[in-house]
Amino acid sequence: MNRLLVGSALLGAAGAVTAIVAAVQHNYAVCSVALFAVAAGGIGAYVVSRYQDAANDRAVLRRLRESPHQPVDALASELGLRPAAVRLSIYRLTSSGELRSNAGSSE
């Protein structure tokens, strides 16, 4: 997953550099193609981020169903996530109705 994110960032960065160099050289056709590369890199990073968020949500939901009153810090430690990521997953799951509000972790 991290490789895809790094690849998307590199694609966007390479596209930005190419677009700037092409614009300075008044080669606008290359500049426009490079700007599409920047957009593709941004969209790729967005898709990877959304996929990772969904994977985190599934892991948190599965863990909370096994042990509903587990503290956020312990849950984060078990899943290898930051406590803020776990809180965000709990918020998203509660907002979507997949998790009842009283089944969330206590702090």
Side-chain angles (χ1 to χ4, degrees), residues 6 10 13 20 24 34-35 37 56-57 60 85 92:
V6 169
L10 288 176
I20 291 170
V24 168
L35 289 174
N56 289 350
D57 290 352
V60 168
R92 279 194 300 257

Side-chain angles (χ1 to χ4, degrees), residues 5-23 30-42:
L5 191 58
V6 169
S8 295
L10 288 176
L11 176 63
V17 169
T18 305
I20 291 170
V21 170
V30 173
C31 181
S32 65
V33 171
L35 289 174
F36 276 107
V38 172

